[in-house]
Amino acid sequence: MLIIVFGLIMIAGILVGNYVPGIPQESRFRQRLQQVMLYGLLFILGHQLGGNEDIVASMSRMGLVGVVLAVVTMTASFAAVWFLRTLFDRRIKEKADD
Amino acid sequence: MIKSMLFFILAGFGAGYFGLIDIPEAVGSTAIMVLLCVMMFVASIEMGKLGFIKDLREAGLRIATYALATVAGTLVSAWAFAPLLSISGKDALVTASGMGWYSLAAGLVFEYSPPLSIATFVYCLFRELGAIFLMPVLWKRFQVPELVSLAGSAAMNPAVAATAVTGDQAFIFYGMISGSIVSMFVPVLVPLMISL
């Protein structure tokens, strides 16, 4: 259900931004709105986390999981794109040599 | 920005931990979902406004393939590494599906597992911060596509920072397109992984 809701919201937003006239390219209001909502979201998330003893107990472990996953996934994404890019470059070079 | 974000999450945490403000759980959960929906819509308008559809057509298959490789690399490595972190493959996939979009991913994951939303938030923040530092440092030895992949969906901020340091405008181009494509996966992938 969430997939559909968020997928539709995203498609609607992109279409509105792309095709509806009169929406400014850069908007201070949009920027401020995003910031205020982000801070509100983080505050509520923090509140829900801090109010739960089980979560507080697992915090250091979960923080470590997040850091390790970031390092691992960054390395893997980097390697995958590097491999593809060198493959594309080699093909372009071979075509040029022919 | 990052300092302000940390301030608000810590302030919220303190308020919850010491019981300074009372936000009933149901109200908090609803507020999180409403905020996520509105933020998602505004961010998507921004993507449309910046000519995402046109850029995507012009950029062609190659950059889209790099973005897909970024997503695939992230998911496969997270799943493979899960046993070493003593978490399930599913939880690793849920966390990694955030791809760096901390505001959306942490909120979505919270509904599934509050402790895992901490891991997701730290993961996303660390990915963006790591990319900001690594992109300029590795710039002379590697090329822009693989450097941009470090950031996942949060490629725009690190790309701007890398352009400011190196003067290479390609960071902005790749950062915007690759970051936007990877971002499109986040609202779909996180619920998908949760539903596995």
Side-chain angles (χ1 to χ4, degrees):
Chain A
M1 185 63 186
L2 268 182
I3 302 173
I4 298 167
V5 171
F6 279 93
L8 287 177
I9 289 173
M10 184 173 59
I11 292 167
I14 291 174
L15 292 177
V16 167
N18 204 60
Y19 295 112
V20 174
I23 299 173
Q25 176 95 25
E26 284 190 16
S27 158
R28 274 192 91 83
F29 171 73
R30 261 200 327 258
Q31 217 174 5
R32 294 296 296 172
L33 181 70
Q34 281 282 61
Q35 255 182 17
V36 169
M37 286 190 297
L38 174 63
Y39 295 151
L41 178 76
L42 290 176
F43 185 86
I44 297 170
L45 272 177
H47 183 278
Q48 306 278 54
L49 296 171
N52 187 321
E53 283 176 15
D54 294 338
I55 299 171
V56 175
S58 67
M59 241 177 107
S60 56
R61 195 181 106 70
M62 281 302 159
L64 184 69
V65 166
V67 171
V68 174
L69 270 182
V71 173
V72 169
T73 56
M74 282 167 87
T75 309
S77 292
F78 182 90
V81 176
W82 175 82
F83 175 75
L84 266 184
R85 203 257 310 149
T86 48
L87 202 71
F88 284 145
D89 286 353
R90 202 177 302 155
R91 278 195 190 160
I92 290 169
K93 202 178 166 201
E94 280 170 8
K95 272 188 187 171
D97 289 345
D98 292 341
Chain B
M1 176 85 175
I2 286 170
K3 275 184 195 165
S4 304
M5 283 166 46
L6 287 174
F7 169 78
F8 276 97
I9 199 160
L10 287 176
F13 188 87
Y17 187 74
F18 295 110
L20 302 176
I21 301 171
D22 182 36
I23 305 174
E25 207 174 312
V27 175
S29 296
T30 309
I32 288 170
M33 286 317 282
V34 170
L35 282 170
L36 284 177
C37 289
V38 180
M39 285 172 72
M40 177 82 215
F41 186 66
V42 176
S44 306
I45 290 178
E46 204 81 33
M47 279 165 75
K49 212 57 230 170
L50 289 170
F52 171 68
I53 296 174
K54 185 171 154 270
D55 283 345
L56 193 60
R57 277 194 207 125
E58 285 172 3
L61 205 61
R62 200 197 256 220
I63 300 184
T65 313
Y66 292 150
L68 288 178
T70 303
V71 174
T74 295
L75 295 180
V76 170
S77 61
W79 179 77
F81 218 78
L84 294 173
L85 290 168
S86 304
I87 57 172
S88 68
K90 178 184 170 176
D91 283 357
L93 287 172
V94 169
T95 306
S97 296
M99 300 281 162
W101 192 343
Y102 36 78
S103 53
L104 181 68
L108 285 175
V109 174
F110 186 84
E111 296 296 314
Y112 164 65
S113 159
L116 205 59
S117 75
I118 297 172
T120 307
F121 182 76
V122 172
Y123 159 74
C124 291
L125 199 63
F126 200 81
R127 190 155 184 172
E128 182 171 359
L129 287 174
I132 287 175
F133 288 108
L134 286 173
M135 276 186 189
V137 171
L138 297 173
W139 176 62
K140 285 194 174 167
R141 297 194 60 185
F142 296 96
Q143 292 192 17
V144 174
E146 56 261 32
L147 293 176
V148 164
S149 75
L150 289 168
S153 69
M156 205 53 210
N157 285 346
V160 171
T163 302
V165 175
T166 64
D168 190 344
Q169 295 291 331
F171 274 112
I172 303 262
F173 179 72
Y174 275 92
M176 204 188 93
I177 297 174
S178 177
S180 301
I181 296 172
V182 175
S183 295
M184 290 186 76
F185 281 90
V186 179
V188 176
L189 270 180
V190 176
L192 181 71
M193 295 306 171
I194 289 172
S195 71
L196 284 179

